[in-house]
Structure formats: C-alpha cells, structure tokens
Amino acid sequence: MSSIRSNNPHNDIEEVLIDDAAIQARVRDLGAEIASAYGGEEPLVLVSVLKGSLIFVADLMRAIPINVVIDLMEVSSYGGGNTESSGTVRILKDLSGTIEGRDVVIVEDIIDTGLTLNYLMGYLSGKSPRSIRIVTLLNKPARRLVDLKVDWIGFEIPDKFVVGYGLDFRETYRNLRYVGVLKRELYASALGES
Ligand code: IMP
C-alpha cells in the first residue's frame, strides 16, 4: 500500500464540491418534482442503477410522497476499476420484476459520457414500460458522447473525478456524506499518469 493512503477517507479529498445539507435539500426538491409528474394508479417504479445510486435512491424514495416500488440493476461500464468509461456495458444484475405498462424512473448517480444510460434506456425501453424517465444526482456535461434527454438533474458538476454519497473510486469512498473531488495523485495511475 502506498504511504499516501490512510484509513480516513476524508484525508483523500481535495475539495468538498457539494455538502450534506445541499444534497439533502436538493433531494427533497427532486422528490416533490418527480411525484408531481405522475398521477397513475400503479406505483411508480424506481430502477436504481447499482452500486453508485444506492445512497441517492434510499434518500430520494423517502422524498417522493406517492407510492413507489424499487427494482435494482447492477451494471459495469468501466473496465478493471478505471476512471474512464469503456463504452461496453455489462449487466451484472438484471431487474427482478416486470416493468411492462409501468411508469419507470431510472435513478443514476452520475452521467458522464452517457454511454451507460444510453444503453440502459434502450434495454429498458425494450421491456415496454408505459413511460421511462431519468433522474441523476450529478451531471458532467463536458464529457458527453451521446445525446441523452435527462429529465431531472440534481447538480451540474465540472469535469472532475468525484466520490462520496454512493460514488466510488475502486469501491471506496461511497460512505462519505458529501460529494468531493478525489486528490488527483490517488487516481493518476488509473489514468496512466505517473
Ligand atoms: P458514463 O457511461 O460515462 O455516463 O458513466 C456513468 C458511470 O460512470 C456512473 O454510473 C459512475 O459509476 C461512473 N462515473 C463517471 N464519472 C464518475 C466520477 O466522477 N466518479 C465516480 N464514478 C464516476
């Protein structure tokens, strides 16, 4: 293990980008906005894209004052723990229930190139939902490679690698209550820098 690593995740953060209070306030607003878009009788289906949206969906579903059910998908878009999207999306865990005829909201942690969600939209649309929309906590528009309609965005962020509130680097930092920029020296090797 490198000597710059410690067991305290806060020490690895360059800058707090969005603090706990700002996240909670925005999630409450998003919950109200999403609820007001639906009037159907069937519960809304939230499809959480694991593992990054785990914390977000837990808070968001409690901020939505109408009936919801959740289903979980796990996908992997980065090869081997890197910080760059490979464009190849693998489904590690598929939906447990049916979404045919249902109103669906895909819940994402962050949209970067858009390749992951573009693939998921195609995949889930093929299962004949009544409607399908997207909510993401974070949006990094600078790196978008595909045109994607995103219905609700928590925060627009600059082109920096961020962790916390569910987002990871090599599976760590998900438990931070805030979204922070990871110190560059910690992920430089993953970018091929020395
Ligand atoms: P996309 O396919 O490039 O849009 O990548 C989406 C996925 O990449 C997200 O669900 C995250 O898992 C991951 N990702 C993209 N940017 C970041 C970041 O800054 N920090 C952590 N994970 C990220």
Side-chain angles (χ1 to χ4, degrees), residues 33-147:
E33 283 173 34
I34 290 170
S36 68
Y38 297 94
E41 279 153 31
E42 293 254 50
L44 179 64
V45 183
L46 300 179
V47 173
S48 166
V49 186
L50 296 174
K51 299 173 190 163
S53 73
L54 179 71
I55 314 282
F56 179 40
V57 79
D59 284 344
L60 182 68
M61 69 184 294
R62 286 177 289 179
I64 299 178
I66 59 170
N67 285 323
V68 298
V69 296
I70 59 166
D71 208 333
L72 311 172
M73 283 193 74
E74 185 171 2
V75 299
S76 149
S77 57
Y78 286 1
N82 283 334
T83 59
E84 298 290 317
S85 200
S86 63
T88 312
V89 179
R90 279 189 307 144
I91 295 180
L92 304 177
K93 187 215 165 292
D94 206 341
L95 296 176
S96 307
T98 176
I99 56 169
E100 192 180 337
R102 304 292 291 272
D103 289 314
V104 172
V105 175
I106 305 177
V107 183
E108 253 291 20
D109 54 349
I110 186 166
I111 307 178
D112 187 17
T113 62
L115 293 170
T116 306
L117 262 183
N118 196 45
Y119 172 84
L120 270 180
M121 274 301 266
Y123 178 75
L124 295 175
S125 299
K127 294 180 179 289
S128 310
R130 181 167 177 263
S131 69
I132 182 156
R133 290 186 170 119
I134 296 172
V135 58
T136 186
L137 178 73
L138 305 173
N139 187 35
K140 255 194 222 177
R143 295 189 3 124
R144 193 74 91 254
L145 292 178
V146 288
D147 194 23

